[in-house]
C-alpha cells in the first residue's frame, strides 16, 4: 500500500462570515490548498467534503456534488462525510484510505460549516442532534451540558480545579492572538475566564468554543506523486475509534475511550509513542476536553491532565506546545472544518511556516472529537517518511 502525504493546505478566515455563502468559503479554502501545492484542479481524482449539518444550518444538502461543480470538477467522484464535530476528520481519513487503497492518487478534502446564519438557540439544538436525541437532547442536555457533566466528574474524581480548566483557555487565546484566520485575537486572563458568564456549571463562556463559519482544505497525494512536491508532510497514521453516543452508555465519563483507542492504534501504526511528539492539536471544544484529550493521547496520566496544563507544558515554550494557533477556542469551531483545520496547522508546523513556529518540530499529532466522544480520529504526521 502506498504512503500518503499532505502537499497543500488552505484556510478561510474563521468567524461570522455573513457576506459569504457556504459554497464561497468551501471554494476559497479548496483553491487556497491547490495554490499552496502549486497545482490546478485537474490533479484531483476524488473529493471528500466534511460537513456536519448544512441541511439544518443553511438548508443545503448534497455538498459533494455542489462543491465539486463549484470547483470546476463536476465529474470527479465527490461525497460528503458526517460524524458531528469530527466530520472533517472522517472526510480526511476517507481520502487517506482512498489513496492507500490505490483507488486514486490525489484526493482533495474540504471541511466546511456555516453556522452563524441561525440564532444561538437553533445552533445549539442543531449541534445537540449529534448527541443521543432521545436520551440527551430531548431532555435539554446540550453539548455544553454534556461536557459540564464530564468536567464535574473529573473534578470530583481527580481534584481537577476550576483554575486548571481556565488555564486551557488562557493558553489557547494567547496562541491565537496573531492568527489572521482566527475568530478571536484577544488574550484572556485567568480572572477573565473565571468571571465570564456561566453557561453550564462549571463551564463558563470563556471555557466554550464559539459558533463559527469557516472552511479548511488539504490536498493528499500518493507517494509516487508526492515526490514531485517540495515539502510533502507524511501521514504516518490516521486512526478512528468510536463509542456509544449517549454519555450514560459509556464505561467512563472521566476519560474518552474512543480517543484513547484511536491514539493507541495510531501510535502502533506509526511505531511512535507520545515521547516522540513535538507538537499537538487537540479538541478543546470545551476546556475540559483539552485536559481529557491530553490524557487520552498519553501525555498525562489519567486524572493528571489538569496538573499537566498547570505545569505550563502546553505553552509555546513548554514540553508539548498544544493548539499553537489558538485551538477551537480562539480559531473558532466551524464543526465540519475543525479536523481539517487542525491538520492544516500541524502541516504548517512541520513545514516550518506556522505563525507560532516551534523550532525543530518534526512530528505532530491531532485529535478531533465528534460529539461528546462517540467518534474520535487521531492522525500522526511527520516531515520525514522514515522516522
Ligand atoms: C457559549 C455560547 C452559548 C455563547 O453564545 P451567545 O450567548 O449567543 O453569544 P453571543 O453570540 O450573543 O455573543 C456575546 C458576546 O460573547 C462573545 N462570545 C460568544 N461566544 C464566545 C466564546 N465561546 N468565547 C468567547 N467569546 C464568545 C461574542 O463575540 C460576543 O461578544 P461582543 O458582545 O463583544 O460582540 C455559544 O458560543 C456556544 O454554544 N458555544 C458552544 C458551541 C458548541 O457546542 N460547539 C460544539 C462543541 S461539541
Amino acid at each position: 500500500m502506498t504512503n500518503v502525504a499532505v502537499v497543500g493546505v488552505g484556510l478561510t478566515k474563521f468567524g461570522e462570515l455573513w457576506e459569504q455563502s457556504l459554497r464561497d468559503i468551501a471554494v476559497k479554502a479548496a483553491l487556497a490548498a491547490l495554490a499552496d501545492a502549486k497545482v490546478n484542479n485537474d490533479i484531483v481524482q476524488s473529493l471528500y467534503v466534511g460537513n456536519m449539518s448544512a441541511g439544518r444550518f443553511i438548508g443545503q444538502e448534497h455538498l459533494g456534488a455542489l462543491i465539486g461543480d463549484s470547483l470546476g470538477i463536476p465529474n470527479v467522484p465527490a461525497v460528503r462525510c458526517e460524524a458531528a464535530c469530527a466530520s472533517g476528520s472522517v472526510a480526511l481519513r476517507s481520502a487517506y484510505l482512498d489513496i492507500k487503497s490505490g483507488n486514486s492518487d490525489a484526493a482533495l478534502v474540504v471541511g466546511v460549516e456555516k453556522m452563524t446564519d441561525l440564532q444561538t438557540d437553533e445552533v445549539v439544538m442543531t449541534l445537540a442532534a449529534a448527541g443521543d436525541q432521545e436520551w440527551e437532547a430531548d431532555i435539554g442536555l446540550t453539548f455544553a451540558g454534556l461536557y459540564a457533566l464530564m468536567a464535574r466528574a473529573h473534578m470530583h474524581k481527580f481534584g481537577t480545579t476550576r483554575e486548571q480548566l481556565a488555564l486551557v483557555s488562557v493558553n489557547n487565546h494567547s496562541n491565537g492572538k496573531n492568527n489572521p484566520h482566527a475568530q478571536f485575537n484577544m488574550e484572556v486572563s485567568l480572572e477573565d475566564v473565571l468571571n465570564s458568564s456561566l453557561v453550564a456549571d462549571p463551564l463558563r463562556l470563556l471555557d466554550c468554543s464559539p459558533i463559527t463559519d469557516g472552511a479548511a482544505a488539504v490536498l493528499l497525494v500518493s507517494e509516487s506523486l508526492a515526490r514531485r512536491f517540495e515539502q510533502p508532510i507524511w501521514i504516518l497514521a490516521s486512526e478512528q475509534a468510536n463509542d456509544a453516543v449517549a454519555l450514560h452508555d459509556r464505561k467512563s465519563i472521566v476519560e474518552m475511550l474512543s480517543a484513547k483507542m484511536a491514539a493507541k492504534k495510531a501510535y502502533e501504526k506509526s511505531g511512535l509513542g507520545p515521547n516522540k511528539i513535538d507538537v499537538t492539536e487537540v479538541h478543546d471544544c470545551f476546556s475540559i476536553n483539552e485536559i481529557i484529550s491530553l490524557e487520552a493521547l498519553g501525555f498525562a496520566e489519567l486524572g493528571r491532565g489538569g496538573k499537566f496544563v498547570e505545569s505550563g507544558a502546553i505553552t509555546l515554550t513548554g514540553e508539548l506546545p498544544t493548539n499553537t494557533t489558538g485551538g477551537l477556542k480562539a480559531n473558532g469551531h466551524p464543526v465540519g472544518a475543525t479536523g481539517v483545520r487542525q491538520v492544516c496547522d500541524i502541516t504548517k508546523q512541520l513545514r516550518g511556516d506556522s505563525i507560532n513556529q516551534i523550532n525543530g518540530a518534526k512530528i505532530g499529532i491531532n485529535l478531533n472529537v465528534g460529539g461528546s466522544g462517540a467518534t474520535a480520529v487521531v492522525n500522526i504526521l511527520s516531515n520525514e517518511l522514515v522516522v
Side-chain angles (χ1 to χ4, degrees):
M1 276 195 288
T2 177
N3 290 299
V4 179
V6 181
V7 294
V9 298
L11 290 171
T12 64
K13 164 91 182 145
F14 282 12
E16 292 180 354
L17 308 178
W18 290 335
E19 69 294 351
Q20 297 177 62
S21 69
L22 178 143
R23 183 195 322 243
D24 293 338
I25 58 176
V27 167
K28 206 176 259 185
L31 293 181
L34 294 173
D36 184 52
K38 302 190 184 68
V39 294
N40 296 321
N41 60 359
D42 55 7
I43 194 173
V44 179
Q45 296 173 7
S46 21
L47 171 64
Y48 290 86
V49 176
N51 174 265
M52 177 185 157
S53 200
R56 284 181 67 169
F57 284 129
I58 59 160
Q60 176 70 59
E61 305 284 12
H62 213 165
L63 293 191
L66 182 92
I67 294 169
D69 181 35
S70 306
L71 279 170
I73 46 172
N75 304 121
V76 165
V79 65
R80 164 190 163 193
C81 304
E82 187 272 316
C85 306
S87 297
S89 283
V90 294
L92 195 147
R93 186 162 180 274
S94 302
Y96 165 86
L97 294 174
D98 185 338
I99 295 174
K100 268 222 162 295
S101 74
N103 182 59
S104 55
D105 277 316
L108 182 63
V109 184
V110 182
V112 62
E113 208 77 56
K114 192 85 176 62
M115 303 168 75
T116 71
D117 291 5
L118 297 182
Q119 298 293 330
T120 300
D121 58 337
E122 296 170 295
V123 173
V124 167
M125 288 322 292
T126 300
L127 292 170
D132 189 314
Q133 185 73 32
E134 202 174 345
W135 290 101
E136 295 179 334
D138 279 355
I139 55 156
L141 254 179
T142 61
F143 272 102
L146 288 162
Y147 277 98
L149 289 174
M150 293 157 84
R152 252 312 154 224
H154 207 276
M155 292 165 95
H156 178 72
K157 185 149 187 189
F158 303 120
T160 301
T161 65
R162 219 351 308 189
E163 286 72 17
Q164 290 166 348
L165 295 175
L167 284 171
V168 167
S169 305
V170 171
N171 178 65
N172 297 352
H173 272 283
S174 168
N175 293 352
K177 68 175 183 271
N178 300 320
N179 182 353
H181 297 283
Q183 183 160 359
F184 297 128
N185 293 122
M186 81 279 192
E187 292 196 71
V188 301
S189 67
L190 191 67
E191 292 68 36
D192 291 335
V193 184
L194 297 178
N195 295 325
S196 60
S197 356
L198 196 58
V199 173
D201 194 25
L203 300 178
R204 295 178 173 271
L205 179 70
L206 291 174
D207 291 293
C208 304
S209 58
I211 292 165
T212 312
D213 305 325
V218 295
L219 180 66
L220 304 187
V221 299
S222 62
E223 187 172 349
S224 56
L225 263 191
R227 301 292 176 196
R228 297 189 209 158
F229 291 83
E230 259 168 47
Q231 232 183 333
I233 298 300
W234 301 97
I235 302 181
L236 301 184
S238 180
E239 293 296 326
Q240 177 180 340
N242 286 62
D243 203 342
V245 170
L247 211 51
H248 65 256
D249 284 330
R250 308 255 176 90
K251 281 207 180 93
S252 168
I253 68 166
V254 292
E255 60 182 323
M256 204 170 270
L257 293 177
S258 56
K260 223 171 162 174
M261 287 167 72
K264 184 168 181 285
K265 289 197 281 184
Y267 287 134
E268 278 168 11
K269 273 266 167 69
S270 64
L272 301 171
N275 58 339
K276 293 284 184 197
I277 304 294
D278 300 311
V279 66
T280 181
E281 286 286 322
V282 296
H283 196 92
D284 56 318
C285 54
F286 298 95
S287 52
I288 181 61
N289 205 24
E290 180 153 331
I291 288 174
I292 288 177
S293 297
L294 290 166
E295 294 172 2
L297 293 176
F299 297 120
E301 278 173 36
L302 179 62
R304 307 279 299 174
K307 288 226 162 18
F308 187 71
V309 168
E310 201 171 46
S311 74
I314 64 167
T315 61
L316 293 177
T317 52
E319 68 193 67
L320 184 75
T322 301
N323 290 338
T324 63
T325 66
L328 285 57
K329 183 70 207 67
N331 272 288
H333 182 26
V335 285
T338 285
V340 184
R341 194 275 304 155
Q342 290 182 327
V343 170
C344 290
D345 285 342
I346 290 282
T347 299
K348 287 189 195 168
Q349 279 289 358
L350 305 183
R351 296 195 313 203
D353 58 13
S354 171
I355 49 151
N356 286 321
Q357 185 58 43
I358 304 303
N359 284 338
K362 288 190 162 93
I363 301 170
I365 193 167
N366 84 298
L367 165 60
N368 181 207
V369 170
S372 59
T375 300
V377 181
V378 173
N379 299 299
I380 296 180
L381 293 97
S382 167
N383 58 9
E384 285 173 6
L385 188 48
V386 181
V387 180

